[in-house]
Amino acid sequence: MIKATRRTVTLSMLALLAACGKPPSKFKAYNGPAVTQVVVNKSDRKMYLLHGTTVLKSYEVGLGNVPVGHKQFEGDGKTPEGVYFIDRFNPRSRYHLSVGVSYPNQQDAALATALGRHAGGDIFIHGRGPEGNRFAQKNRDWTAGCIAVKDEEIEEVYAMLRPGVPIVINP
């Protein structure tokens, strides 16, 4: 009888220790007002999630490694400027989590074509992940054209946004 009790206690302790070591989920719940617009002001390095005219959350952001000017073609290191839409979610991003921006639009594609280049794509709001944390220590603007926030912050953003929400990216 004592042997069974010791075994039960030992197994219970192992289960408890295993549960304590489990990392918290990066997927958060959000039950507040709907985000109706995202505004990024590149010059201030700020991103705002709004419900109507009310700011729900604001974040410091990192931008493309060439932070001034509108993205013209793939590989130019610039973050686009203009009105786009949230169009996809990537739970397996190498930058923790990521939310897609609908770049390029028709005007972006036409401009790149006129320059004899490809407009590119894969513009996201994303976290840092291990790789981004290393880059961000050296330079706030380290992405290839994306908008970067801290990992804890992208968890909030990911939970708060829905497909179709407009994102306005100002110079």
mmCIF file of all heavy atoms in Angstrom, residues 9-48:
data_model
loop_
_atom_site.group_PDB
_atom_site.id
_atom_site.type_symbol
_atom_site.label_atom_id
_atom_site.label_comp_id
_atom_site.label_asym_id
_atom_site.label_seq_id
_atom_site.Cartn_x
_atom_site.Cartn_y
_atom_site.Cartn_z
ATOM 1 N N VAL A 9 2.280 9.608 -5.613
ATOM 2 C CA VAL A 9 2.838 10.921 -5.272
ATOM 3 C C VAL A 9 3.929 11.297 -6.282
ATOM 4 O O VAL A 9 3.979 12.428 -6.769
ATOM 5 C CB VAL A 9 3.372 10.938 -3.825
ATOM 6 C CG1 VAL A 9 4.195 12.179 -3.561
ATOM 7 C CG2 VAL A 9 2.229 10.822 -2.839
ATOM 8 N N THR A 10 4.793 10.354 -6.610
ATOM 9 C CA THR A 10 5.869 10.618 -7.558
ATOM 10 C C THR A 10 5.313 11.005 -8.922
ATOM 11 O O THR A 10 5.745 11.985 -9.532
ATOM 12 C CB THR A 10 6.789 9.385 -7.686
ATOM 13 O OG1 THR A 10 7.318 9.080 -6.401
ATOM 14 C CG2 THR A 10 7.923 9.642 -8.658
ATOM 15 N N LEU A 11 4.337 10.251 -9.413
ATOM 16 C CA LEU A 11 3.726 10.557 -10.702
ATOM 17 C C LEU A 11 3.009 11.903 -10.676
ATOM 18 O O LEU A 11 3.075 12.675 -11.633
ATOM 19 C CB LEU A 11 2.763 9.443 -11.124
ATOM 20 C CG LEU A 11 3.425 8.119 -11.507
ATOM 21 C CD1 LEU A 11 2.374 7.045 -11.767
ATOM 22 C CD2 LEU A 11 4.316 8.303 -12.725
ATOM 23 N N SER A 12 2.364 12.194 -9.578
ATOM 24 C CA SER A 12 1.682 13.491 -9.444
ATOM 25 C C SER A 12 2.674 14.634 -9.480
ATOM 26 O O SER A 12 2.435 15.668 -10.115
ATOM 27 C CB SER A 12 0.875 13.541 -8.149
ATOM 28 O OG SER A 12 -0.149 12.580 -8.160
ATOM 29 N N MET A 13 3.803 14.464 -8.802
ATOM 30 C CA MET A 13 4.830 15.506 -8.784
ATOM 31 C C MET A 13 5.427 15.698 -10.182
ATOM 32 O O MET A 13 5.651 16.835 -10.619
ATOM 33 C CB MET A 13 5.937 15.156 -7.788
ATOM 34 C CG MET A 13 5.498 15.196 -6.330
ATOM 35 S SD MET A 13 4.931 16.820 -5.831
ATOM 36 C CE MET A 13 6.460 17.702 -5.807
ATOM 37 N N LEU A 14 5.663 14.609 -10.891
ATOM 38 C CA LEU A 14 6.189 14.713 -12.256
ATOM 39 C C LEU A 14 5.204 15.434 -13.169
ATOM 40 O O LEU A 14 5.592 16.278 -13.977
ATOM 41 C CB LEU A 14 6.519 13.323 -12.807
ATOM 42 C CG LEU A 14 7.763 12.662 -12.219
ATOM 43 C CD1 LEU A 14 7.878 11.219 -12.719
ATOM 44 C CD2 LEU A 14 9.006 13.453 -12.573
ATOM 45 N N ALA A 15 3.929 15.123 -13.036
ATOM 46 C CA ALA A 15 2.903 15.793 -13.840
ATOM 47 C C ALA A 15 2.839 17.280 -13.517
ATOM 48 O O ALA A 15 2.729 18.127 -14.409
ATOM 49 C CB ALA A 15 1.541 15.137 -13.612
ATOM 50 N N LEU A 16 2.953 17.612 -12.247
ATOM 51 C CA LEU A 16 2.933 19.003 -11.825
ATOM 52 C C LEU A 16 4.137 19.756 -12.389
ATOM 53 O O LEU A 16 4.014 20.870 -12.904
ATOM 54 C CB LEU A 16 2.911 19.092 -10.296
ATOM 55 C CG LEU A 16 2.863 20.490 -9.706
ATOM 56 C CD1 LEU A 16 1.574 21.192 -10.109
ATOM 57 C CD2 LEU A 16 2.972 20.421 -8.205
ATOM 58 N N LEU A 17 5.307 19.158 -12.314
ATOM 59 C CA LEU A 17 6.508 19.787 -12.851
ATOM 60 C C LEU A 17 6.417 19.963 -14.362
ATOM 61 O O LEU A 17 6.817 20.997 -14.905
ATOM 62 C CB LEU A 17 7.745 18.959 -12.499
ATOM 63 C CG LEU A 17 8.189 19.032 -11.044
ATOM 64 C CD1 LEU A 17 9.313 18.020 -10.795
ATOM 65 C CD2 LEU A 17 8.637 20.431 -10.693
ATOM 66 N N ALA A 18 5.880 18.984 -15.059
ATOM 67 C CA ALA A 18 5.716 19.081 -16.510
ATOM 68 C C ALA A 18 4.766 20.218 -16.868
ATOM 69 O O ALA A 18 4.999 20.971 -17.811
ATOM 70 C CB ALA A 18 5.209 17.764 -17.080
ATOM 71 N N ALA A 19 3.698 20.370 -16.112
ATOM 72 C CA ALA A 19 2.730 21.442 -16.370
ATOM 73 C C ALA A 19 3.346 22.810 -16.109
ATOM 74 O O ALA A 19 3.066 23.772 -16.819
ATOM 75 C CB ALA A 19 1.482 21.247 -15.513
ATOM 76 N N CYS A 20 4.208 22.912 -15.109
ATOM 77 C CA CYS A 20 4.850 24.191 -14.790
ATOM 78 C C CYS A 20 5.825 24.608 -15.880
ATOM 79 O O CYS A 20 6.039 25.793 -16.099
ATOM 80 C CB CYS A 20 5.606 24.100 -13.465
ATOM 81 S SG CYS A 20 4.510 23.975 -12.047
ATOM 82 N N GLY A 21 6.421 23.677 -16.581
ATOM 83 C CA GLY A 21 7.403 23.983 -17.600
ATOM 84 C C GLY A 21 6.796 24.314 -18.948
ATOM 85 O O GLY A 21 7.502 24.671 -19.868
ATOM 86 N N LYS A 22 5.492 24.236 -19.096
ATOM 87 C CA LYS A 22 4.842 24.481 -20.376
ATOM 88 C C LYS A 22 4.833 25.986 -20.667
ATOM 89 O O LYS A 22 4.375 26.775 -19.854
ATOM 90 C CB LYS A 22 3.411 23.945 -20.338
ATOM 91 C CG LYS A 22 2.697 24.038 -21.646
ATOM 92 C CD LYS A 22 1.324 23.413 -21.535
ATOM 93 C CE LYS A 22 0.589 23.541 -22.853
ATOM 94 N NZ LYS A 22 -0.762 23.023 -22.751
ATOM 95 N N PRO A 23 5.364 26.394 -21.827
ATOM 96 C CA PRO A 23 5.382 27.828 -22.131
ATOM 97 C C PRO A 23 3.963 28.349 -22.372
ATOM 98 O O PRO A 23 3.095 27.610 -22.830
ATOM 99 C CB PRO A 23 6.214 27.905 -23.418
ATOM 100 C CG PRO A 23 6.135 26.552 -24.023
ATOM 101 C CD PRO A 23 5.935 25.587 -22.888
ATOM 102 N N PRO A 24 3.734 29.621 -22.065
ATOM 103 C CA PRO A 24 2.408 30.182 -22.296
ATOM 104 C C PRO A 24 2.116 30.243 -23.794
ATOM 105 O O PRO A 24 3.037 30.368 -24.605
ATOM 106 C CB PRO A 24 2.488 31.570 -21.684
ATOM 107 C CG PRO A 24 3.939 31.884 -21.600
ATOM 108 C CD PRO A 24 4.655 30.578 -21.495
ATOM 109 N N SER A 25 0.867 30.174 -24.155
ATOM 110 C CA SER A 25 0.473 30.213 -25.558
ATOM 111 C C SER A 25 0.687 31.599 -26.135
ATOM 112 O O SER A 25 0.451 32.610 -25.476
ATOM 113 C CB SER A 25 -1.004 29.828 -25.694
ATOM 114 O OG SER A 25 -1.418 29.985 -27.033
ATOM 115 N N LYS A 26 1.120 31.647 -27.399
ATOM 116 C CA LYS A 26 1.269 32.931 -28.074
ATOM 117 C C LYS A 26 -0.055 33.403 -28.669
ATOM 118 O O LYS A 26 -0.144 34.510 -29.178
ATOM 119 C CB LYS A 26 2.356 32.854 -29.145
ATOM 120 C CG LYS A 26 2.084 31.891 -30.280
ATOM 121 C CD LYS A 26 3.283 31.864 -31.213
ATOM 122 C CE LYS A 26 3.116 30.852 -32.315
ATOM 123 N NZ LYS A 26 4.275 30.834 -33.215
ATOM 124 N N PHE A 27 -1.072 32.572 -28.583
ATOM 125 C CA PHE A 27 -2.388 32.932 -29.121
ATOM 126 C C PHE A 27 -3.263 33.477 -28.005
ATOM 127 O O PHE A 27 -3.645 32.765 -27.095
ATOM 128 C CB PHE A 27 -3.036 31.722 -29.794
ATOM 129 C CG PHE A 27 -2.183 31.201 -30.926
ATOM 130 C CD1 PHE A 27 -1.444 30.046 -30.774
ATOM 131 C CD2 PHE A 27 -2.106 31.894 -32.123
ATOM 132 C CE1 PHE A 27 -0.649 29.578 -31.794
ATOM 133 C CE2 PHE A 27 -1.305 31.441 -33.152
ATOM 134 C CZ PHE A 27 -0.578 30.274 -32.996
ATOM 135 N N LYS A 28 -3.543 34.759 -28.097
ATOM 136 C CA LYS A 28 -4.322 35.457 -27.078
ATOM 137 C C LYS A 28 -5.766 35.623 -27.533
ATOM 138 O O LYS A 28 -6.060 35.556 -28.720
ATOM 139 C CB LYS A 28 -3.713 36.850 -26.796
ATOM 140 C CG LYS A 28 -2.243 36.830 -26.447
ATOM 141 C CD LYS A 28 -1.965 36.068 -25.179
ATOM 142 C CE LYS A 28 -0.479 36.075 -24.845
ATOM 143 N NZ LYS A 28 -0.069 34.999 -24.028
ATOM 144 N N ALA A 29 -6.637 35.883 -26.578
ATOM 145 C CA ALA A 29 -8.039 36.184 -26.871
ATOM 146 C C ALA A 29 -8.242 37.684 -26.738
ATOM 147 O O ALA A 29 -7.566 38.345 -25.941
ATOM 148 C CB ALA A 29 -8.950 35.441 -25.908
ATOM 149 N N TYR A 30 -9.161 38.215 -27.531
ATOM 150 C CA TYR A 30 -9.494 39.629 -27.449
ATOM 151 C C TYR A 30 -11.002 39.768 -27.509
ATOM 152 O O TYR A 30 -11.637 39.234 -28.415
ATOM 153 C CB TYR A 30 -8.837 40.411 -28.594
ATOM 154 C CG TYR A 30 -9.250 41.863 -28.611
ATOM 155 C CD1 TYR A 30 -8.811 42.744 -27.629
ATOM 156 C CD2 TYR A 30 -10.102 42.360 -29.593
ATOM 157 C CE1 TYR A 30 -9.186 44.073 -27.623
ATOM 158 C CE2 TYR A 30 -10.482 43.689 -29.599
ATOM 159 C CZ TYR A 30 -10.023 44.545 -28.616
ATOM 160 O OH TYR A 30 -10.408 45.855 -28.616
ATOM 161 N N ASN A 31 -11.572 40.475 -26.547
ATOM 162 C CA ASN A 31 -13.015 40.635 -26.475
ATOM 163 C C ASN A 31 -13.452 42.094 -26.459
ATOM 164 O O ASN A 31 -14.579 42.392 -26.122
ATOM 165 C CB ASN A 31 -13.563 39.932 -25.222
ATOM 166 C CG ASN A 31 -13.340 38.439 -25.279
ATOM 167 O OD1 ASN A 31 -13.561 37.812 -26.303
ATOM 168 N ND2 ASN A 31 -12.858 37.863 -24.185
ATOM 169 N N GLY A 32 -12.572 43.008 -26.826
ATOM 170 C CA GLY A 32 -12.890 44.433 -26.796
ATOM 171 C C GLY A 32 -13.530 44.905 -28.084
ATOM 172 O O GLY A 32 -13.936 44.105 -28.935
ATOM 173 N N PRO A 33 -13.593 46.219 -28.249
ATOM 174 C CA PRO A 33 -14.168 46.797 -29.469
ATOM 175 C C PRO A 33 -13.379 46.355 -30.702
ATOM 176 O O PRO A 33 -12.159 46.191 -30.644
ATOM 177 C CB PRO A 33 -14.025 48.305 -29.265
ATOM 178 C CG PRO A 33 -13.741 48.497 -27.818
ATOM 179 C CD PRO A 33 -13.138 47.239 -27.315
ATOM 180 N N ALA A 34 -14.065 46.200 -31.814
ATOM 181 C CA ALA A 34 -13.421 45.781 -33.058
ATOM 182 C C ALA A 34 -12.456 46.847 -33.547
ATOM 183 O O ALA A 34 -12.740 48.040 -33.478
ATOM 184 C CB ALA A 34 -14.472 45.512 -34.129
ATOM 185 N N VAL A 35 -11.317 46.396 -34.048
ATOM 186 C CA VAL A 35 -10.382 47.316 -34.688
ATOM 187 C C VAL A 35 -10.947 47.620 -36.070
ATOM 188 O O VAL A 35 -11.194 46.714 -36.867
ATOM 189 C CB VAL A 35 -8.966 46.706 -34.795
ATOM 190 C CG1 VAL A 35 -8.035 47.623 -35.584
ATOM 191 C CG2 VAL A 35 -8.400 46.425 -33.415
ATOM 192 N N THR A 36 -11.163 48.910 -36.349
ATOM 193 C CA THR A 36 -11.726 49.312 -37.634
ATOM 194 C C THR A 36 -10.683 49.888 -38.577
ATOM 195 O O THR A 36 -10.950 50.047 -39.767
ATOM 196 C CB THR A 36 -12.864 50.341 -37.437
ATOM 197 O OG1 THR A 36 -12.340 51.475 -36.735
ATOM 198 C CG2 THR A 36 -14.021 49.729 -36.658
ATOM 199 N N GLN A 37 -9.490 50.191 -38.048
ATOM 200 C CA GLN A 37 -8.427 50.736 -38.888
ATOM 201 C C GLN A 37 -7.093 50.634 -38.153
ATOM 202 O O GLN A 37 -7.030 50.757 -36.932
ATOM 203 C CB GLN A 37 -8.709 52.197 -39.223
ATOM 204 C CG GLN A 37 -7.711 52.823 -40.170
ATOM 205 C CD GLN A 37 -8.071 54.258 -40.521
ATOM 206 O OE1 GLN A 37 -8.452 55.036 -39.650
ATOM 207 N NE2 GLN A 37 -7.965 54.601 -41.793
ATOM 208 N N VAL A 38 -6.047 50.416 -38.935
ATOM 209 C CA VAL A 38 -4.677 50.467 -38.436
ATOM 210 C C VAL A 38 -4.024 51.666 -39.113
ATOM 211 O O VAL A 38 -4.164 51.852 -40.322
ATOM 212 C CB VAL A 38 -3.894 49.184 -38.793
ATOM 213 C CG1 VAL A 38 -2.451 49.269 -38.312
ATOM 214 C CG2 VAL A 38 -4.588 47.948 -38.244
ATOM 215 N N VAL A 39 -3.327 52.478 -38.336
ATOM 216 C CA VAL A 39 -2.590 53.616 -38.889
ATOM 217 C C VAL A 39 -1.131 53.474 -38.462
ATOM 218 O O VAL A 39 -0.841 53.280 -37.283
ATOM 219 C CB VAL A 39 -3.162 54.965 -38.397
ATOM 220 C CG1 VAL A 39 -2.292 56.127 -38.885
ATOM 221 C CG2 VAL A 39 -4.601 55.140 -38.858
ATOM 222 N N VAL A 40 -0.242 53.564 -39.447
ATOM 223 C CA VAL A 40 1.196 53.549 -39.180
ATOM 224 C C VAL A 40 1.755 54.889 -39.637
ATOM 225 O O VAL A 40 1.556 55.286 -40.790
ATOM 226 C CB VAL A 40 1.897 52.401 -39.934
ATOM 227 C CG1 VAL A 40 3.412 52.461 -39.736
ATOM 228 C CG2 VAL A 40 1.353 51.051 -39.503
ATOM 229 N N ASN A 41 2.413 55.588 -38.739
ATOM 230 C CA ASN A 41 3.117 56.822 -39.070
ATOM 231 C C ASN A 41 4.608 56.502 -39.074
ATOM 232 O O ASN A 41 5.231 56.386 -38.012
ATOM 233 C CB ASN A 41 2.794 57.929 -38.064
ATOM 234 C CG ASN A 41 1.350 58.389 -38.173
ATOM 235 O OD1 ASN A 41 0.723 58.293 -39.228
ATOM 236 N ND2 ASN A 41 0.805 58.871 -37.075
ATOM 237 N N LYS A 42 5.144 56.326 -40.270
ATOM 238 C CA LYS A 42 6.537 55.911 -40.397
ATOM 239 C C LYS A 42 7.504 56.898 -39.750
ATOM 240 O O LYS A 42 8.443 56.474 -39.081
ATOM 241 C CB LYS A 42 6.890 55.700 -41.878
ATOM 242 C CG LYS A 42 6.218 54.482 -42.491
ATOM 243 C CD LYS A 42 6.417 54.372 -43.996
ATOM 244 C CE LYS A 42 7.829 54.380 -44.445
ATOM 245 N NZ LYS A 42 7.969 54.164 -45.913
ATOM 246 N N SER A 43 7.275 58.188 -39.926
ATOM 247 C CA SER A 43 8.215 59.180 -39.403
ATOM 248 C C SER A 43 8.298 59.144 -37.880
ATOM 249 O O SER A 43 9.350 59.427 -37.310
ATOM 250 C CB SER A 43 7.845 60.586 -39.875
ATOM 251 O OG SER A 43 6.557 60.930 -39.405
ATOM 252 N N ASP A 44 7.197 58.778 -37.220
ATOM 253 C CA ASP A 44 7.171 58.676 -35.753
ATOM 254 C C ASP A 44 7.485 57.270 -35.252
ATOM 255 O O ASP A 44 7.586 57.064 -34.048
ATOM 256 C CB ASP A 44 5.784 59.060 -35.215
ATOM 257 C CG ASP A 44 5.406 60.491 -35.525
ATOM 258 O OD1 ASP A 44 6.308 61.324 -35.723
ATOM 259 O OD2 ASP A 44 4.197 60.769 -35.572
ATOM 260 N N ARG A 45 7.568 56.301 -36.179
ATOM 261 C CA ARG A 45 7.749 54.886 -35.815
ATOM 262 C C ARG A 45 6.642 54.438 -34.855
ATOM 263 O O ARG A 45 6.890 53.786 -33.859
ATOM 264 C CB ARG A 45 9.114 54.615 -35.191
ATOM 265 C CG ARG A 45 10.330 55.036 -35.981
ATOM 266 C CD ARG A 45 10.420 54.311 -37.314
ATOM 267 N NE ARG A 45 11.686 54.484 -37.970
ATOM 268 C CZ ARG A 45 12.059 55.586 -38.640
ATOM 269 N NH1 ARG A 45 11.277 56.626 -38.701
ATOM 270 N NH2 ARG A 45 13.228 55.638 -39.243
ATOM 271 N N LYS A 46 5.388 54.779 -35.184
ATOM 272 C CA LYS A 46 4.243 54.430 -34.330
ATOM 273 C C LYS A 46 3.162 53.742 -35.165
ATOM 274 O O LYS A 46 2.946 54.093 -36.332
ATOM 275 C CB LYS A 46 3.628 55.679 -33.696
ATOM 276 C CG LYS A 46 4.513 56.368 -32.678
ATOM 277 C CD LYS A 46 4.607 55.640 -31.389
ATOM 278 C CE LYS A 46 3.677 56.228 -30.373
ATOM 279 N NZ LYS A 46 3.750 55.585 -29.097
ATOM 280 N N MET A 47 2.506 52.782 -34.543
ATOM 281 C CA MET A 47 1.354 52.111 -35.133
ATOM 282 C C MET A 47 0.200 52.209 -34.147
ATOM 283 O O MET A 47 0.378 51.993 -32.948
ATOM 284 C CB MET A 47 1.656 50.638 -35.425
ATOM 285 C CG MET A 47 0.467 49.879 -36.009
ATOM 286 S SD MET A 47 0.874 48.206 -36.541
ATOM 287 C CE MET A 47 1.093 47.383 -34.952
ATOM 288 N N TYR A 48 -0.979 52.524 -34.667
ATOM 289 C CA TYR A 48 -2.178 52.681 -33.850
ATOM 290 C C TYR A 48 -3.257 51.728 -34.343
ATOM 291 O O TYR A 48 -3.513 51.648 -35.550
ATOM 292 C CB TYR A 48 -2.708 54.122 -33.948
ATOM 293 C CG TYR A 48 -1.693 55.155 -33.562
ATOM 294 C CD1 TYR A 48 -0.879 55.747 -34.526
ATOM 295 C CD2 TYR A 48 -1.532 55.538 -32.229
ATOM 296 C CE1 TYR A 48 0.069 56.698 -34.172
ATOM 297 C CE2 TYR A 48 -0.586 56.490 -31.872
ATOM 298 C CZ TYR A 48 0.210 57.062 -32.848
ATOM 299 O OH TYR A 48 1.141 58.002 -32.495
#
